[in-house]
Amino acid sequence: MTQFPALVYRSPGENKKPGGGTYKYIGVQSQDELDAKLAEGWHLTSADAITAAGDKANGLTKPKPKWALKPTKKKKPANPLGLRKQAPQAPIEAVSDTNDTAPPTRAELEAKAIELGIRFDGRTKDKKLGQLIADRLSEPTAGD
């Protein structure tokens, strides 16, 4: 015979059991309330409720908050230097008295990157910018 008030349990819920599983509980005041809750799927012990729930006992079935249900907006890619797409420029003509074995200057790398439509900013190292340019130039074109 059960003494009243008493508790009945259901799993999953917001309370965690140390051995695993979650449960919730409510109080009942009479035998009629107890019988009704047992018929609805509530149990006399938290262990019975967790066993009956099986795999669902480990997860709390809380509804998602309203902010999580809203679709996220697609962000535009960053353009840290504020560069606009420019029409292709005429190639830079080499000066005849320059040393062709010298590495390109930063200005030359930036001009070539802009010409090829490569994104970069002031944090991009010269070596990395040169590699991006080389990779872009080695890509097969649509006409190949």
Side-chain angles (χ1 to χ4, degrees):
M1 178 166 218
T2 306
Q3 292 183 357
F4 297 98
L7 295 175
V8 289
Y9 303 87
R10 181 181 260 174
S11 182
E14 58 275 352
N15 302 301
K16 292 184 181 179
K17 189 154 178 106
T22 61
Y23 64 94
K24 58 184 169 183
Y25 61 90
I26 60 169
V28 292
Q29 303 300 322
S30 67
Q31 186 66 42
D32 292 335
E33 279 185 69
L34 177 63
D35 293 339
K37 290 298 179 186
L38 292 176
E40 292 175 10
W42 291 80
H43 299 274
L44 292 175
T45 65
S46 60
D48 290 343
I50 290 170
T51 302
D55 290 339
K56 293 187 235 174
N58 291 327
L60 179 61
T61 56
K62 268 187 170 179
K64 288 187 177 182
K66 289 182 182 179
W67 60 264
L69 300 176
K70 294 180 182 175
T72 57
K73 293 181 181 179
K74 261 191 163 179
K75 294 184 177 179
K76 294 181 181 179
N79 187 0
L81 296 179
L83 299 174
R84 294 182 183 172
K85 290 197 175 206
Q86 299 175 354
Q89 299 174 351
I92 300 173
E93 295 185 26
V95 178
S96 60
D97 61 337
T98 60
N99 184 359
D100 287 338
T101 60
T105 64
R106 178 67 183 197
E108 292 171 336
L109 288 171
E110 289 180 0
K112 189 64 172 178
I114 292 170
E115 178 183 329
L116 295 172
I118 298 173
R119 299 188 111 158
F120 66 94
D121 62 18
R123 297 172 295 185
T124 308
K125 304 283 185 200
D126 291 356
K127 184 177 179 181
K128 177 70 174 175
L129 191 54
Q131 185 62 44
L132 291 171
I133 291 169
D135 291 347
R136 179 66 57 92
L137 290 174
S138 66
E139 290 178 358
T141 58
D144 290 349

